[in-house]
Amino acid sequence: RVVFANRGGLGVEGFDFQKPDYAAVYQRRLRILGKLRADPSLIHVMRAYYKANPWQFVEDWGTTYDPRNIERGLPATIPFIPFPKQTELMQWIVAHWQGSRDGLVPKSRDTGASWVAIALSCTLCLFYEGMAIGFGSRKEEYVDRLDSPKSLFYKARVFLQNLPREFRGGWTREKHGAFMRLTFPDTGSVMTGEAGDNIGRGDRAALYFVDESAHLERPQLAEEALSATTNCRIDMSSVKGSSTPFSVKRRSWSPDDVFEFHWRDDPRKTEAWYENLKLTKDPTVIAQEYDIDENASVSGVVIPSDWVQAAIDAHVKLGIEPSGKRQG
């Protein structure tokens, strides 16, 4: 009862993402960890719970890394407290994996979607026997580069090495954190990384993430290579025009299989933040990286998408009656 108070987790309801109190989170974690070490039988109960609710494990014990925190007077390495949309994304991914369905995640930049994918994947590998999860991207450095925080597997190593030893499943960075391959000794699970046109070819995975799918150099080759790799492929990407396979899927797939992740879903960001962003960034960059606007995310267009949208039903807004010939 003590361990599973507050809907099963350590309790972060009401967490202030604008003014986070990470000291309180660490104190709470240490308090529960003390109870677990005093009564190790509780760990088996918690492991069973986390296997069924992996997003709760991320909230209770996860760690993330962001060097930009230092300028705000915060440590670079902090507890990973998912905000509601991030938790919803984890639940959506698990439902698609269990239902053997592909999914698409059009996302704004800097919403933590990559961290969500990595944290969830590490958690599944820690609690499921024989799990195999793949990650693919257009460049190797985006998947793994040992000294680069932007790479996906760097994030995974940060997440794993900061877990309490009771939940690491025997994982150590030296033995199980190889380049492009993370192994989990207690469960026999594995996370692998690939890059280029042939991501996934010849491989088999329970779950496969394609990072920045809209920006693949030759997406059709990747489509062919991944065709028999997995029953659950999750493409996560900002947009790049309306003609990429990613954007075509976004328009044609069932809404249940498309998870839109907009910056407005991020409680760390405000309208004031967005207005300041517009003063410092190119409109095309904002459209592509933040607004998930396919039509405005390419440069060199004759009539910008914003103008087109503003013209729709303009006669209603202006209170005028159109007259004359229609010509194009």
Side-chain angles (χ1 to χ4, degrees):
R1 287 192 296 271
V2 172
V3 173
F4 292 110
N6 296 303
R7 63 177 173 79
L10 305 192
V12 293
E13 293 85 351
F15 184 80
D16 189 345
F17 289 93
Q18 291 288 328
K19 298 178 181 178
D21 183 2
Y22 293 119
V25 175
Y26 279 126
Q27 290 169 3
R28 201 157 41 231
R29 290 183 177 187
L30 288 171
R31 191 162 57 246
I32 298 300
L33 195 57
K35 294 180 184 297
L36 289 175
R37 289 175 176 172
D39 184 2
S41 65
L42 291 174
I43 295 175
H44 300 291
V45 180
M46 293 189 76
R47 287 183 61 85
Y49 177 79
Y50 289 141
K51 184 175 182 178
N53 301 273
W55 43 87
Q56 194 64 59
F57 180 77
V58 174
E59 179 182 303
D60 288 353
W61 304 106
T63 296
T64 184
Y65 170 83
D66 189 343
R68 295 172 299 179
N69 284 335
I70 298 173
E71 66 202 45
R72 301 166 55 200
L74 296 169
T77 302
I78 55 175
F80 189 172
I81 307 299
F83 48 83
K85 193 71 172 182
Q86 290 177 324
T87 299
E88 185 183 340
L89 175 56
M90 285 188 272
Q91 294 169 339
W92 179 86
I93 292 171
V94 169
H96 275 66
W97 162 54
Q98 293 176 336
S100 298
R101 293 165 60 188
D102 293 341
L104 208 71
V105 184
K107 65 183 183 70
S108 299
R109 188 174 183 177
D110 196 31
T111 51
S114 296
W115 272 102
V116 165
I118 284 294
L120 176 63
S121 296
C122 290
T123 302
L124 293 176
C125 286
L126 285 167
F127 294 112
Y128 282 87
E129 299 282 340
M131 193 74 175
I133 300 179
F135 283 84
S137 190
R138 68 187 189 276
K139 291 185 178 181
E140 185 178 274
E141 64 190 83
Y142 297 150
V143 182
D144 199 3
R145 187 173 175 181
L146 296 177
D147 59 349
S148 176
K150 77 175 181 180
S151 72
L152 294 168
F153 279 27
Y154 182 98
K155 295 176 173 65
R157 294 183 186 95
V158 169
F159 182 87
L160 289 165
Q161 68 191 22
N162 283 284
L163 292 174
R165 65 176 182 271
E166 288 81 0
F167 294 115
R168 275 201 297 268
W171 188 91
T172 63
R173 178 168 182 160
E174 294 75 19
K175 293 182 179 180
H176 311 107
F179 179 69
M180 287 285 204
R181 184 178 178 84
L182 304 180
T183 55
F184 297 78
D186 280 10
T187 59
S189 296
V190 62
M191 287 169 56
T192 57
E194 299 168 296
D197 296 334
N198 289 305
I199 53 176
R201 185 176 294 279
D203 197 7
R204 294 294 180 268
L207 181 59
Y208 199 100
F209 291 92
V210 182
D211 178 56
E212 291 299 344
S213 176
H215 301 267
L216 293 173
E217 294 179 6
R218 287 170 286 274
Q220 191 55 45
L221 294 178
E223 292 285 336
E224 295 169 2
L226 283 163
S227 60
T229 301
T230 182
N231 292 327
C232 180
R233 168 182 164 182
I234 305 295
D235 286 45
M236 309 178 75
S237 185
S238 56
V239 296
K240 188 181 181 183
S242 58
S243 61
T244 63
F246 182 85
S247 293
V248 172
K249 291 176 183 178
R250 183 187 180 195
R251 293 192 299 272
S252 61
W253 281 14
S254 164
D256 293 337
D257 296 325
V258 179
F259 189 97
E260 300 271 350
F261 200 164
H262 197 272
W263 66 262
R264 285 190 171 89
D265 298 314
D266 186 340
R268 300 168 300 178
K269 297 177 173 62
T270 62
E271 290 296 330
W273 167 87
Y274 182 63
E275 291 302 319
N276 183 66
L277 190 72
K278 291 196 291 186
L279 295 175
T280 58
K281 303 291 184 183
D282 181 90
T284 300
V285 172
I286 292 176
Q288 175 175 296
E289 303 293 342
Y290 297 96
D291 287 340
I292 327 180
D293 187 344
E294 297 170 350
N295 296 316
S297 64
V298 289
S299 58
V301 296
V302 177
I303 304 176
S305 175
D306 287 350
W307 297 8
V308 176
Q309 297 303 315
I312 295 174
D313 289 334
H315 66 292
V316 177
K317 301 170 187 173
L318 298 174
I320 62 175
E321 186 66 32
S323 61
K325 294 182 179 180
R326 293 174 180 254
Q327 292 181 319

